[in-house]
Amino acid sequence: MGSNREQLVLGLNSSTQSFSGTVINPAQGSIIWAGRVNFAEELGSKYGIGSGFIERGNGVVVAPPLMWLEALDLLLQRLRESIGETEVTNITRITGAGQQHGTVYLSGEAGEILRNPDANRPLHAQLGANCFTRSESPIWMDSSTGSQCRIFEERLGGRLNVAVRTGSVAMERFSGPQILKFAMESPDDYTRTAHIALISSFICGMFLGELAPTEPGDGAGMNLMNIETFEWDKTIIEALSDYAPQLSAKLPKISPACSEIGPVSEFMCARYGFSPRACVLPFSGDNPDSLLGMGVTGRDASGQIVLSLGTSDTIFGATDRAFDPSGSGSIFGFADGGRMLLLCFRNGSLAREKVKSHYLGTDANWKDFVSVLKRTPRANGGRFMLPFFAPEITPNTENRSLVQRYGGLDDSDGPANIRAVVESQFLNIGYHLAALQMRPKTIRVTGGAAVNREILQIAADVLDAELMLLSAPSNAGGIVTDSVSLGAALRGASSLGFSLETLSERFCSTNSERIVPQNASDYEVLRSAYAAALSDRFVRYD
Ligand code: XUL
């Protein structure tokens, strides 16, 4: 084996709209490669998807697992072409993350094929229809399982008890209610299902050449894992067994996030040039790995909050809490063995995108959007909205969209509506942070929209917090926007003997740009008006 200095680590991110990867040299603190396959641009017409998913109506949102495999094939080919065969053989750890909560339903045949695929053909051409008991996977945007959530609550003695056991109240997008719905609506297909993978463990299995375990970060996004023991909760599984028999046997194992779970498969070595000495670690959820990629680890971790402006907007940080009594926050396992808290706002980039094309036309770009923000007044003359164009997760709008305008905001006034969406999204985030008694003075920010300084200034002012961008290691340039694949790579590197703290110091420099709140007091009136509008519509449970 080469010395520690030559060993590279590959971190992957199978997210909602793209599949990306980062290769790092942990000893040198450098990024060797970063690449991405965009689903809509590169595979959209083949799989009939728009922004990476398909809306089937009634809150059902799915994506085809074969698309993720085809994107992985493209990404790994690009990796080899770009860094060359020798560097690929220097990769000794491989891991990654997936969009959370989504599930893949596999028949007994899938395991067989995975063990011995033909290296001359990509996996998506070999895992045929017989391997899946359901050709489309429900993803985190699905909000169709309200009645299954009620079953969880009834069977487990109420809403709060589900949260105490699993770290989250029963949530529509979580895998447990989704699995229950599948078992109730398609019992024969459920019976034929030998294995239910998370999106992350499904991709991990491609590297291992067998069905892969999950870990406590992504496992917690199912409402099936006990948040104290990090094992499947037998009481819950038993309570659901008349609807979903034999569930334990179908679930992946749970391994620690930083453990080595086996060598990379012969197929992966033959097809993409990996070395047989490369080890695979469990794949995690995109948010847990993003937390690591944003440098939150170690002794001072619990005060650090991250805002990720992606397909969804999310807020998360390390925590000692085991559940959130208000029901909005979710607790997941974190790679350092502890826990993290997350709030997920579904109407993130897609809602910003929607108003952009509605008011500025489908050809408009983000520059046009920003120029509107520049010429509209801060706090919008008191105009704001409940900006939930698609069913929202926080607050839970229960499978309905909810757009309501206030302060004389006129639907036909494009510029005022564009500003209102951005401001109101951050008013909503601030409202829910305050409900959790969280009033961070500094927030680390990442995700695609983090490149947009005008949006960040509004966020800093509305949230009354300083925003901190992480600079990518100098050789990679720029700021960290794919903190997920970077975080996965850091987790992989921890199994080479580097501590997470050392990796964080090397890769997650906070010594970069800061966006300071300049006009926070301008938003005082809007903050209270938003809180009043929201509490008018939503009952809080705490
Ligand atoms: C988190 C959540 C989303 C997905 C997609 O609970 O649903 O953030 O992980 O990124």
Tab-separated table of all heavy atoms in Angstrom, residues 21-69:
chain	number	residue	atom	x	y	z
A	21	GLY	N	-19.330	14.300	-7.188
A	21	GLY	CA	-18.270	13.605	-6.463
A	21	GLY	C	-17.088	14.526	-6.204
A	21	GLY	O	-16.874	15.503	-6.928
A	22	THR	N	-16.345	14.228	-5.135
A	22	THR	CA	-15.133	14.976	-4.802
A	22	THR	C	-14.059	13.966	-4.411
A	22	THR	O	-14.339	13.033	-3.654
A	22	THR	CB	-15.400	15.918	-3.597
A	22	THR	OG1	-16.417	16.855	-3.961
A	22	THR	CG2	-14.158	16.694	-3.196
A	23	VAL	N	-12.851	14.154	-4.952
A	23	VAL	CA	-11.722	13.314	-4.533
A	23	VAL	C	-10.753	14.200	-3.763
A	23	VAL	O	-10.375	15.277	-4.241
A	23	VAL	CB	-11.005	12.670	-5.741
A	23	VAL	CG1	-9.761	11.907	-5.281
A	23	VAL	CG2	-11.952	11.746	-6.496
A	24	ILE	N	-10.373	13.746	-2.564
A	24	ILE	CA	-9.440	14.549	-1.759
A	24	ILE	C	-8.156	13.769	-1.475
A	24	ILE	O	-8.148	12.535	-1.493
A	24	ILE	CB	-10.070	14.981	-0.408
A	24	ILE	CG1	-10.434	13.747	0.457
A	24	ILE	CG2	-11.287	15.845	-0.616
A	24	ILE	CD1	-10.747	14.102	1.913
A	25	ASN	N	-7.107	14.529	-1.234
A	25	ASN	CA	-5.892	13.956	-0.663
A	25	ASN	C	-5.850	14.443	0.797
A	25	ASN	O	-5.506	15.596	1.060
A	25	ASN	CB	-4.658	14.441	-1.427
A	25	ASN	CG	-3.389	13.850	-0.840
A	25	ASN	OD1	-3.267	13.683	0.369
A	25	ASN	ND2	-2.444	13.522	-1.715
A	26	PRO	N	-6.242	13.587	1.752
A	26	PRO	CA	-6.389	14.071	3.131
A	26	PRO	C	-5.067	14.484	3.757
A	26	PRO	O	-5.031	15.412	4.559
A	26	PRO	CB	-7.009	12.887	3.873
A	26	PRO	CG	-6.847	11.701	2.998
A	26	PRO	CD	-6.671	12.182	1.598
A	27	ALA	N	-3.966	13.823	3.386
A	27	ALA	CA	-2.676	14.166	4.008
A	27	ALA	C	-2.250	15.560	3.576
A	27	ALA	O	-1.703	16.333	4.362
A	27	ALA	CB	-1.622	13.139	3.623
A	28	GLN	N	-2.514	15.881	2.315
A	28	GLN	CA	-2.081	17.192	1.819
A	28	GLN	C	-3.142	18.273	1.976
A	28	GLN	O	-2.893	19.436	1.668
A	28	GLN	CB	-1.683	17.074	0.346
A	28	GLN	CG	-0.410	16.269	0.190
A	28	GLN	CD	-0.042	16.036	-1.255
A	28	GLN	OE1	-0.774	16.446	-2.149
A	28	GLN	NE2	1.072	15.367	-1.478
A	29	GLY	N	-4.334	17.885	2.382
A	29	GLY	CA	-5.409	18.870	2.539
A	29	GLY	C	-5.810	19.473	1.207
A	29	GLY	O	-6.159	20.655	1.136
A	30	SER	N	-5.795	18.637	0.133
A	30	SER	CA	-6.124	19.212	-1.185
A	30	SER	C	-7.280	18.468	-1.842
A	30	SER	O	-7.512	17.283	-1.576
A	30	SER	CB	-4.893	19.190	-2.089
A	30	SER	OG	-4.432	17.873	-2.200
A	31	ILE	N	-7.980	19.202	-2.700
A	31	ILE	CA	-9.040	18.594	-3.505
A	31	ILE	C	-8.434	18.259	-4.859
A	31	ILE	O	-7.874	19.120	-5.545
A	31	ILE	CB	-10.246	19.541	-3.625
A	31	ILE	CG1	-10.937	19.636	-2.257
A	31	ILE	CG2	-11.218	19.055	-4.694
A	31	ILE	CD1	-12.218	20.426	-2.210
A	32	ILE	N	-8.527	16.982	-5.235
A	32	ILE	CA	-7.906	16.512	-6.478
A	32	ILE	C	-8.867	16.665	-7.650
A	32	ILE	O	-8.484	16.921	-8.780
A	32	ILE	CB	-7.534	15.005	-6.337
A	32	ILE	CG1	-6.607	14.792	-5.145
A	32	ILE	CG2	-6.937	14.417	-7.603
A	32	ILE	CD1	-5.269	15.469	-5.272
A	33	TRP	N	-10.143	16.444	-7.376
A	33	TRP	CA	-11.134	16.445	-8.468
A	33	TRP	C	-12.516	16.712	-7.908
A	33	TRP	O	-12.828	16.316	-6.779
A	33	TRP	CB	-11.117	15.069	-9.140
A	33	TRP	CG	-12.127	14.876	-10.234
A	33	TRP	CD1	-12.010	15.273	-11.536
A	33	TRP	CD2	-13.407	14.208	-10.139
A	33	TRP	NE1	-13.138	14.899	-12.247
A	33	TRP	CE2	-14.005	14.242	-11.416
A	33	TRP	CE3	-14.103	13.593	-9.093
A	33	TRP	CZ2	-15.254	13.688	-11.679
A	33	TRP	CZ3	-15.360	13.036	-9.357
A	33	TRP	CH2	-15.911	13.090	-10.644
A	34	ALA	N	-13.334	17.413	-8.684
A	34	ALA	CA	-14.752	17.554	-8.348
A	34	ALA	C	-15.533	17.469	-9.653
A	34	ALA	O	-15.126	18.081	-10.647
A	34	ALA	CB	-15.013	18.882	-7.648
A	35	GLY	N	-16.594	16.683	-9.682
A	35	GLY	CA	-17.371	16.532	-10.920
A	35	GLY	C	-18.839	16.359	-10.619
A	35	GLY	O	-19.229	16.088	-9.467
A	36	ARG	N	-19.661	16.505	-11.660
A	36	ARG	CA	-21.112	16.463	-11.450
A	36	ARG	C	-21.819	16.019	-12.729
A	36	ARG	O	-21.415	16.390	-13.827
A	36	ARG	CB	-21.584	17.874	-11.095
A	36	ARG	CG	-23.073	18.013	-10.804
A	36	ARG	CD	-23.428	19.460	-10.511
A	36	ARG	NE	-22.743	20.005	-9.344
A	36	ARG	CZ	-23.207	19.928	-8.097
A	36	ARG	NH1	-24.348	19.332	-7.845
A	36	ARG	NH2	-22.528	20.445	-7.095
A	37	VAL	N	-22.876	15.218	-12.571
A	37	VAL	CA	-23.777	14.882	-13.690
A	37	VAL	C	-25.139	15.448	-13.319
A	37	VAL	O	-25.693	15.091	-12.276
A	37	VAL	CB	-23.884	13.349	-13.879
A	37	VAL	CG1	-24.932	13.001	-14.922
A	37	VAL	CG2	-22.528	12.760	-14.252
A	38	ASN	N	-25.654	16.342	-14.167
A	38	ASN	CA	-26.955	16.944	-13.891
A	38	ASN	C	-28.047	16.079	-14.534
A	38	ASN	O	-28.018	15.832	-15.737
A	38	ASN	CB	-26.959	18.373	-14.465
A	38	ASN	CG	-28.260	19.077	-14.174
A	38	ASN	OD1	-29.308	18.722	-14.712
A	38	ASN	ND2	-28.193	20.069	-13.310
A	39	PHE	N	-29.001	15.609	-13.714
A	39	PHE	CA	-30.014	14.667	-14.224
A	39	PHE	C	-30.839	15.276	-15.351
A	39	PHE	O	-31.027	14.656	-16.403
A	39	PHE	CB	-30.959	14.218	-13.107
A	39	PHE	CG	-30.284	13.501	-11.969
A	39	PHE	CD1	-30.678	13.717	-10.658
A	39	PHE	CD2	-29.259	12.598	-12.210
A	39	PHE	CE1	-30.060	13.052	-9.600
A	39	PHE	CE2	-28.631	11.927	-11.155
A	39	PHE	CZ	-29.039	12.155	-9.848
A	40	ALA	N	-31.360	16.484	-15.125
A	40	ALA	CA	-32.269	17.074	-16.121
A	40	ALA	C	-31.531	17.302	-17.435
A	40	ALA	O	-32.034	16.958	-18.513
A	40	ALA	CB	-32.840	18.378	-15.587
A	41	GLU	N	-30.325	17.861	-17.352
A	41	GLU	CA	-29.603	18.204	-18.588
A	41	GLU	C	-29.103	16.974	-19.322
A	41	GLU	O	-29.130	16.915	-20.540
A	41	GLU	CB	-28.397	19.098	-18.253
A	41	GLU	CG	-28.788	20.526	-17.946
A	41	GLU	CD	-27.679	21.299	-17.244
A	41	GLU	OE1	-26.506	20.878	-17.302
A	41	GLU	OE2	-28.011	22.323	-16.599
A	42	GLU	N	-28.633	15.969	-18.575
A	42	GLU	CA	-27.947	14.872	-19.251
A	42	GLU	C	-28.807	13.629	-19.436
A	42	GLU	O	-28.553	12.827	-20.321
A	42	GLU	CB	-26.660	14.521	-18.497
A	42	GLU	CG	-25.782	15.765	-18.333
A	42	GLU	CD	-24.369	15.450	-17.886
A	42	GLU	OE1	-23.771	14.533	-18.434
A	42	GLU	OE2	-23.890	16.146	-16.981
A	43	LEU	N	-29.818	13.463	-18.587
A	43	LEU	CA	-30.604	12.230	-18.667
A	43	LEU	C	-32.104	12.491	-18.651
A	43	LEU	O	-32.900	11.554	-18.632
A	43	LEU	CB	-30.242	11.314	-17.483
A	43	LEU	CG	-28.768	10.876	-17.403
A	43	LEU	CD1	-28.458	10.282	-16.037
A	43	LEU	CD2	-28.454	9.865	-18.492
A	44	GLY	N	-32.469	13.778	-18.664
A	44	GLY	CA	-33.866	14.166	-18.483
A	44	GLY	C	-34.811	13.521	-19.479
A	44	GLY	O	-35.828	12.930	-19.098
A	45	SER	N	-34.478	13.600	-20.783
A	45	SER	CA	-35.444	13.097	-21.755
A	45	SER	C	-35.517	11.574	-21.698
A	45	SER	O	-36.591	10.994	-21.819
A	45	SER	CB	-35.105	13.596	-23.168
A	45	SER	OG	-33.771	13.310	-23.430
A	46	LYS	N	-34.397	10.909	-21.439
A	46	LYS	CA	-34.410	9.436	-21.394
A	46	LYS	C	-35.325	8.924	-20.274
A	46	LYS	O	-36.031	7.946	-20.430
A	46	LYS	CB	-32.989	8.921	-21.188
A	46	LYS	CG	-32.919	7.429	-21.031
A	46	LYS	CD	-31.530	6.888	-21.209
A	46	LYS	CE	-31.544	5.375	-20.963
A	46	LYS	NZ	-30.213	4.824	-20.914
A	47	TYR	N	-35.298	9.598	-19.114
A	47	TYR	CA	-36.058	9.092	-17.966
A	47	TYR	C	-37.351	9.870	-17.703
A	47	TYR	O	-38.055	9.587	-16.735
A	47	TYR	CB	-35.175	9.093	-16.710
A	47	TYR	CG	-34.088	8.030	-16.793
A	47	TYR	CD1	-32.802	8.358	-17.228
A	47	TYR	CD2	-34.369	6.710	-16.485
A	47	TYR	CE1	-31.816	7.388	-17.323
A	47	TYR	CE2	-33.395	5.729	-16.580
A	47	TYR	CZ	-32.117	6.076	-17.002
A	47	TYR	OH	-31.148	5.101	-17.100
A	48	GLY	N	-37.643	10.854	-18.566
A	48	GLY	CA	-38.896	11.597	-18.410
A	48	GLY	C	-38.972	12.397	-17.115
A	48	GLY	O	-40.040	12.527	-16.518
A	49	ILE	N	-37.824	12.920	-16.675
A	49	ILE	CA	-37.840	13.706	-15.444
A	49	ILE	C	-37.598	15.179	-15.768
A	49	ILE	O	-36.973	15.510	-16.770
A	49	ILE	CB	-36.768	13.234	-14.430
A	49	ILE	CG1	-35.380	13.143	-15.093
A	49	ILE	CG2	-37.127	11.910	-13.808
A	49	ILE	CD1	-34.434	14.138	-14.668
A	50	GLY	N	-38.112	16.067	-14.915
A	50	GLY	CA	-37.834	17.488	-15.065
A	50	GLY	C	-36.577	17.823	-14.288
A	50	GLY	O	-35.455	17.649	-14.757
A	51	SER	N	-36.743	18.241	-13.043
A	51	SER	CA	-35.579	18.637	-12.239
A	51	SER	C	-34.983	17.475	-11.456
A	51	SER	O	-34.395	17.670	-10.405
A	51	SER	CB	-35.985	19.739	-11.263
A	51	SER	OG	-36.451	20.849	-11.970
A	52	GLY	N	-35.199	16.245	-11.916
A	52	GLY	CA	-34.601	15.103	-11.220
A	52	GLY	C	-35.646	14.184	-10.603
A	52	GLY	O	-35.307	13.179	-9.982
A	53	PHE	N	-36.924	14.533	-10.800
A	53	PHE	CA	-37.990	13.730	-10.172
A	53	PHE	C	-39.249	13.836	-11.024
A	53	PHE	O	-39.318	14.636	-11.965
A	53	PHE	CB	-38.258	14.227	-8.745
A	53	PHE	CG	-38.514	15.716	-8.674
A	53	PHE	CD1	-39.781	16.231	-8.870
A	53	PHE	CD2	-37.459	16.597	-8.448
A	53	PHE	CE1	-40.001	17.602	-8.842
A	53	PHE	CE2	-37.673	17.976	-8.415
A	53	PHE	CZ	-38.944	18.475	-8.617
A	54	ILE	N	-40.255	13.020	-10.678
A	54	ILE	CA	-41.529	13.038	-11.414
A	54	ILE	C	-42.653	13.221	-10.397
A	54	ILE	O	-42.699	12.502	-9.392
A	54	ILE	CB	-41.752	11.706	-12.168
A	54	ILE	CG1	-40.533	11.370	-13.042
A	54	ILE	CG2	-43.018	11.747	-13.015
A	54	ILE	CD1	-40.474	9.929	-13.507
A	55	GLU	N	-43.543	14.193	-10.654
A	55	GLU	CA	-44.697	14.379	-9.768
A	55	GLU	C	-45.866	13.610	-10.358
A	55	GLU	O	-46.245	13.849	-11.501
A	55	GLU	CB	-45.013	15.866	-9.627
A	55	GLU	CG	-43.934	16.568	-8.828
A	55	GLU	CD	-44.178	18.063	-8.658
A	55	GLU	OE1	-44.829	18.426	-7.672
A	55	GLU	OE2	-43.696	18.820	-9.506
A	56	ARG	N	-46.406	12.665	-9.591
A	56	ARG	CA	-47.475	11.810	-10.111
A	56	ARG	C	-48.856	12.246	-9.624
A	56	ARG	O	-49.841	11.560	-9.853
A	56	ARG	CB	-47.232	10.359	-9.686
A	56	ARG	CG	-46.001	9.739	-10.301
A	56	ARG	CD	-46.393	8.786	-11.449
A	56	ARG	NE	-45.235	8.249	-12.108
A	56	ARG	CZ	-44.867	8.568	-13.351
A	56	ARG	NH1	-45.564	9.433	-14.062
A	56	ARG	NH2	-43.818	8.030	-13.904
A	57	GLY	N	-48.936	13.357	-8.907
A	57	GLY	CA	-50.235	13.829	-8.417
A	57	GLY	C	-50.517	13.310	-7.017
A	57	GLY	O	-49.898	12.337	-6.560
A	58	ASN	N	-51.436	13.969	-6.320
A	58	ASN	CA	-51.796	13.609	-4.935
A	58	ASN	C	-50.593	13.544	-4.008
A	58	ASN	O	-50.547	12.728	-3.085
A	58	ASN	CB	-52.527	12.255	-4.888
A	58	ASN	CG	-53.857	12.330	-5.592
A	58	ASN	OD1	-54.516	13.368	-5.541
A	58	ASN	ND2	-54.227	11.260	-6.269
A	59	GLY	N	-49.598	14.360	-4.294
A	59	GLY	CA	-48.438	14.427	-3.398
A	59	GLY	C	-47.377	13.369	-3.658
A	59	GLY	O	-46.356	13.336	-2.974
A	60	VAL	N	-47.634	12.504	-4.655
A	60	VAL	CA	-46.660	11.436	-4.934
A	60	VAL	C	-45.502	11.997	-5.771
A	60	VAL	O	-45.724	12.600	-6.814
A	60	VAL	CB	-47.344	10.267	-5.695
A	60	VAL	CG1	-46.315	9.228	-6.138
A	60	VAL	CG2	-48.419	9.643	-4.819
A	61	VAL	N	-44.281	11.849	-5.280
A	61	VAL	CA	-43.095	12.304	-6.024
A	61	VAL	C	-42.082	11.160	-6.043
A	61	VAL	O	-41.712	10.624	-4.989
A	61	VAL	CB	-42.458	13.565	-5.406
A	61	VAL	CG1	-41.321	14.076	-6.280
A	61	VAL	CG2	-43.487	14.681	-5.217
A	62	VAL	N	-41.680	10.783	-7.251
A	62	VAL	CA	-40.810	9.610	-7.398
A	62	VAL	C	-39.625	9.934	-8.314
A	62	VAL	O	-39.621	10.970	-8.985
A	62	VAL	CB	-41.599	8.423	-8.020
A	62	VAL	CG1	-42.666	7.906	-7.081
A	62	VAL	CG2	-42.201	8.827	-9.369
A	63	ALA	N	-38.659	9.032	-8.344
A	63	ALA	CA	-37.549	9.129	-9.310
A	63	ALA	C	-37.128	7.706	-9.665
A	63	ALA	O	-37.292	6.778	-8.851
A	63	ALA	CB	-36.390	9.901	-8.700
A	64	PRO	N	-36.588	7.523	-10.892
A	64	PRO	CA	-36.200	6.170	-11.299
A	64	PRO	C	-34.795	5.803	-10.806
A	64	PRO	O	-33.826	6.488	-11.142
A	64	PRO	CB	-36.226	6.244	-12.836
A	64	PRO	CG	-36.150	7.697	-13.169
A	64	PRO	CD	-36.478	8.514	-11.966
A	65	PRO	N	-34.655	4.726	-10.027
A	65	PRO	CA	-33.322	4.360	-9.515
A	65	PRO	C	-32.305	4.089	-10.624
A	65	PRO	O	-31.116	4.322	-10.432
A	65	PRO	CB	-33.573	3.107	-8.666
A	65	PRO	CG	-35.000	2.754	-8.803
A	65	PRO	CD	-35.720	3.853	-9.492
A	66	LEU	N	-32.786	3.612	-11.785
A	66	LEU	CA	-31.825	3.333	-12.867
A	66	LEU	C	-31.159	4.616	-13.360
A	66	LEU	O	-30.017	4.598	-13.820
A	66	LEU	CB	-32.516	2.607	-14.032
A	66	LEU	CG	-32.911	1.164	-13.725
A	66	LEU	CD1	-33.612	0.532	-14.924
A	66	LEU	CD2	-31.702	0.308	-13.330
A	67	MET	N	-31.864	5.749	-13.227
A	67	MET	CA	-31.255	7.030	-13.619
A	67	MET	C	-30.054	7.346	-12.720
A	67	MET	O	-29.017	7.816	-13.187
A	67	MET	CB	-32.302	8.137	-13.516
A	67	MET	CG	-31.756	9.524	-13.821
A	67	MET	SD	-32.999	10.790	-13.581
A	67	MET	CE	-33.080	10.905	-11.791
A	68	TRP	N	-30.199	7.052	-11.435
A	68	TRP	CA	-29.072	7.326	-10.526
A	68	TRP	C	-27.884	6.455	-10.908
A	68	TRP	O	-26.738	6.902	-10.868
A	68	TRP	CB	-29.476	7.061	-9.064
A	68	TRP	CG	-30.624	7.909	-8.597
A	68	TRP	CD1	-30.844	9.221	-8.915
A	68	TRP	CD2	-31.715	7.519	-7.749
A	68	TRP	NE1	-32.000	9.656	-8.311
A	68	TRP	CE2	-32.548	8.651	-7.587
A	68	TRP	CE3	-32.056	6.329	-7.108
A	68	TRP	CZ2	-33.712	8.601	-6.812
A	68	TRP	CZ3	-33.214	6.291	-6.332
A	68	TRP	CH2	-34.027	7.424	-6.194
A	69	LEU	N	-28.167	5.199	-11.310
A	69	LEU	CA	-27.052	4.310	-11.666
A	69	LEU	C	-26.387	4.770	-12.965
A	69	LEU	O	-25.162	4.698	-13.105
A	69	LEU	CB	-27.545	2.871	-11.822
A	69	LEU	CG	-28.068	2.209	-10.553
A	69	LEU	CD1	-28.339	0.732	-10.801
A	69	LEU	CD2	-27.082	2.366	-9.403
